[in-house]
């Protein structure tokens, strides 16, 4: 018996003895308690209790007679039900933990954090976008390599939920020697995008409650991604002010429009 398989069965709610007894019975399809005990290593003093528990959990069936016979329920049925149950439990747990996490962030004594590294910054951007309930304001003077596809996926999910998004994007930038067409890359989104050659800075504002500013050093117009820093901010008064400034800039006749 592979320990990894036993560990997986434990994840499905079985004990060590139950996992061993179930695996043993799977090799018999149908067997007596004595046969299962001998092949599984579960002591005879424990085997009946273990088998009753497996039957209660729906992993095996018991046939009356002398001696009692135990039959394994088809594994595909058991595993499918367990996958559904585990996913439901994980989804419920994730929802509860996210609610606790998001409610506590603004209450932090200093709700400003620095995030280093392009991968971690993009991950945080997507997290912020995923928390949006009403609005997103985005300004992008540069992008990292492979970032546009990830943002498109996250933004499309938010837009399908009815989130109102406004995006100001530079036409393109060069990151680590690679040209990135920002406006063109975002052009498929179902929201209004305005194009302007803004400086090498990014901003994502969520619901006027949370924002992140991203900066990076650049050399001769080329962004150096390894120097990138994200400033994640949840001071609601400050974020609301920046969002209002964004909306003011949005009304200025400075941009090309893409729909």
């Amino acid at each position: 018996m592979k320990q990894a398989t036993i560990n997986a069965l434990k994840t499905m709610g079985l004990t060590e003895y139950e996992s061993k007894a179930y695996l043993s019975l799977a090799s018999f399809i149908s067997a007596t308690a004595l046969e299962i005990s001998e092949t599984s290593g579960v002591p005879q003093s424990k085997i009946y209790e273990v088998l009753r528990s497996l039957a209660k959990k729906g992993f095996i069936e018991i046939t009356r007679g002398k001696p009692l016979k135990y039959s394994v329920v088809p594994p595909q049925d058991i595993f499918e039900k367990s996958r559904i149950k585990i996913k439901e439990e994980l989804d419920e747990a994730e929802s509860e933990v996210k609610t606790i996490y998001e409610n506590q962030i603004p209450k932090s004594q200093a709700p400003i954090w620095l995030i280093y590294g392009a991968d971690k910054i993009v991950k945080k951007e997507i997290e912020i976008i995923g928390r949006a309930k009403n609005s997103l304001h985005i300004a992008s003077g540069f992008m990292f390599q492979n970032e546009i596809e990830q943002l498109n996926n996250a933004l499309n999910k938010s837009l399908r939920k009815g989130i109102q998004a406004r995006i100001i994007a530079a036409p393109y930038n060069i990151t680590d020697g690679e040209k990135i067409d920002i406006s063109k890359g975002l052009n498929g989104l179902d929201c209004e995008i305005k194009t302007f050659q803004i400086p090498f800075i990014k901003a994502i504002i969520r619901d006027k409650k949370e924002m992140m500013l991203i900066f990076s050093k650049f050399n001769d117009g080329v962004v150096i991604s390894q120097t990138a820093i994200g400033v994640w901010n949840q001071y609601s008064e400050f974020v609301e002010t920046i969002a209002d400034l964004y909306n003011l800039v949005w009304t200025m006749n400075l941009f090309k429009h893409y729909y």
Side-chain angles (χ1 to χ4, degrees), residues 1 79 129 141 192 197:
M1 301 178 186
F79 278 79
I129 290 170
E192 189 176 12
Q197 190 61 61

Side-chain angles (χ1 to χ4, degrees), residues 40-58:
S40 67
V42 177
Q44 289 186 33
S45 60
K46 296 286 186 181
I47 193 64
Y48 289 101
E49 177 186 346
V50 168
L51 292 171
R52 283 195 297 270
S53 179
L54 281 170
K56 186 175 181 180
K57 293 177 180 179

Side-chain angles (χ1 to χ4, degrees), residues 5-253:
T5 303
I6 292 175
N7 291 341
L9 291 171
K10 287 181 178 180
T11 301
M12 295 163 63
L14 301 189
T15 65
E16 180 88 11
Y17 278 168
E18 288 170 352
S19 299
K20 290 180 177 180
Y22 177 71
L23 285 171
S24 174
L25 185 54
S27 68
F28 283 113
I29 308 300
S30 180
T32 65
L34 180 60
E35 290 171 328
I36 297 167
S37 175
E38 289 175 345
T39 56
S40 67
V42 177
Q44 289 186 33
S45 60
K46 296 286 186 181
I47 193 64
Y48 289 101
E49 177 186 346
V50 168
L51 292 171
R52 283 195 297 270
S53 179
L54 281 170
K56 186 175 181 180
K57 293 177 180 179
F59 281 73
I60 68 172
E61 295 176 344
I62 302 175
T63 302
R64 297 294 176 185
K66 290 188 178 181
L68 293 173
K69 295 283 284 188
Y70 301 88
S71 302
V72 70
V73 172
Q76 59 269 27
D77 296 342
I78 294 297
F79 278 79
E80 183 59 28
K81 289 179 181 178
S82 293
R83 283 192 189 96
I84 294 171
K85 181 181 178 181
I86 291 170
K87 184 179 184 304
E88 289 175 349
E89 290 175 349
L90 286 174
D91 288 346
E92 184 177 349
E94 180 186 16
S95 177
E96 183 175 356
V97 174
K98 280 178 64 178
T99 299
I100 295 170
Y101 171 71
E102 291 170 10
N103 288 340
Q104 286 302 119
I105 288 175
K107 299 176 184 177
S108 170
Q109 292 182 354
I112 295 178
W113 296 264
L114 297 181
I115 301 172
Y116 297 92
D119 290 343
K120 290 182 179 180
I121 289 170
V122 173
K123 185 177 180 179
K124 182 58 66 175
E125 291 173 355
I126 292 171
E127 179 186 316
I128 292 170
I129 290 170
R131 276 199 286 273
K133 292 179 173 57
N134 299 300
S135 65
L136 286 165
H137 297 77
I138 298 174
S140 183
F142 71 94
M143 289 275 189
F144 301 117
Q145 294 176 8
N146 304 316
E147 180 181 1
I148 288 180
E149 182 179 355
Q150 296 179 69
L151 288 188
N152 272 326
N153 290 336
L155 286 165
N156 274 319
K157 290 179 182 178
S158 292
L159 292 170
R160 285 195 291 270
K161 292 189 295 184
I163 305 301
Q164 299 299 309
R166 288 181 168 182
I167 301 175
I168 301 173
Y172 71 92
N173 78 281
I174 299 174
T175 298
D176 300 331
E178 178 182 319
K179 182 181 178 183
I180 300 174
D181 293 312
I182 302 175
S183 292
K184 184 178 179 181
L186 298 173
N187 196 27
L189 293 170
D190 187 20
C191 66
E192 189 176 12
I193 300 173
K194 296 187 175 184
T195 301
F196 185 67
Q197 190 61 61
I198 58 179
F200 290 140
I201 187 173
K202 282 196 294 179
I204 296 180
I205 307 169
R206 188 269 299 178
D207 298 328
K208 294 188 176 183
K209 295 180 178 179
E210 174 182 18
M211 70 178 293
M212 186 162 68
L213 295 173
I214 302 99
F215 308 90
S216 182
K217 290 184 180 180
F218 56 93
N219 185 21
D220 292 331
V222 177
V223 173
I224 306 170
S225 65
Q226 65 184 14
T227 67
I229 298 175
V231 183
W232 178 30
N233 188 338
Q234 292 226 3
Y235 275 122
S236 57
E237 296 85 355
F238 176 76
V239 174
E240 186 172 353
T241 299
I242 298 300
D244 290 341
L245 287 172
Y246 184 108
N247 287 329
L248 176 62
V249 172
W250 183 267
T251 63
M252 297 179 179
N253 189 25

